[in-house]
Amino acid sequence: MTLSVLYRGPLSGCNYSCNYCPFAKTKNTREELKDDAAKLNRFVNWVENNPDIQFSILFTPWGEALIRQSYQQAMQRLSHFKHVSKVAIQTNLSCRLDWLSEVNKEKTALWATYHPGETSRRKFLNQCARLDELGISYSVGVVGFREVLPEIEALRKELPAQTYLWINALKKEENYYTPEEKARLIGIDPFVPHNMVHHASLGKPCRTGHTVISVDGDGTMQRCHFVKEHIGNIYDPGFRSALFPRACTNATCGCHIGYVHLDHLKLYELYKDKVLERIAQ
Ligand code: SF4
Ligand code: SF4
């Protein structure tokens, strides 16, 4: 049995202050961090104690988790379990990277987002170069605000050609991009059209709830981050009975971490074994 788990614990603080984000420059208290670390440790122990499942894990924290030793250590531990195929995390890549020398590099990957205005292009590229030196697989992404288009193009030029750069397209406002801007975005990320639409998903088969689940710090299972219904708890010995094929109950799905699991989009063929870290092959 294989299972991809998107884990999101209670941690919510971030060292960056992106103006569109509710977690900008928020700080967790010492107690909250302790609680988050204990929940994370319980999750890692649970993975360890279920060796008959072949796991892939993506951490999707609300804030920035990799500045916390608890997440660095969790990734180190998970990457060395035989029954873990992949451990990946969404990060702003601001953390120190020396801890990555202790991970199993074959199984570790980063989903690294560049936030212009929060760090310099040079600093971000230096971090990417360090990942290349360490042999760690990663994707780079940017939120596609119209005003940062020249910056995204400059980043594309300076990144190694083999590094996939994805763009999260702005979708709230209809016709946010002009046709010319759309063409520029596609010039940077040929797969951005998948992210430019809210995919009609109601009634469509989606792997979530069967071979993919979302889990919070208390072990509560949802099929995905976007359908809020609780389907079970991983710490309940009978949790496997909650996993079966089912159709989406939401009207649409607009985030990569969701629609990538929709069967009819066939995006597993594009991302192959790098679905979780979002590296198009
Ligand atoms: S880096 Fe991410 S979590 Fe932090 S403020 Fe920016 S968008 Fe929010
Ligand atoms: S299509 Fe999106 S919203 Fe629907 S179940 Fe799948 S991941 Fe969740």
Side-chain angles (χ1 to χ4, degrees), residues 201 206 208 223-224 226-227 248-250 252-253 257-259 261-262:
S201 55
C206 172
T208 63
R223 62 177 306 177
C224 64
F226 316 105
V227 176
C248 177
T249 53
N250 280 6
T252 61
C253 190
I257 57 172
Y259 65 69
H261 306 296
L262 272 168

Side-chain angles (χ1 to χ4, degrees), residues 154-182:
L155 180 71
R156 176 62 280 171
K157 275 200 194 112
E158 290 188 52
L159 274 171
Q162 71 276 12
T163 305
Y164 176 52
L165 169 56
W166 50 261
I167 297 166
N168 268 353
L170 276 288
K171 299 187 270 290
K172 275 192 187 142
E173 209 181 296
E174 232 182 290
N175 300 323
Y176 174 81
Y177 300 112
T178 64
E180 189 250 337
E181 286 167 343
K182 263 193 186 176

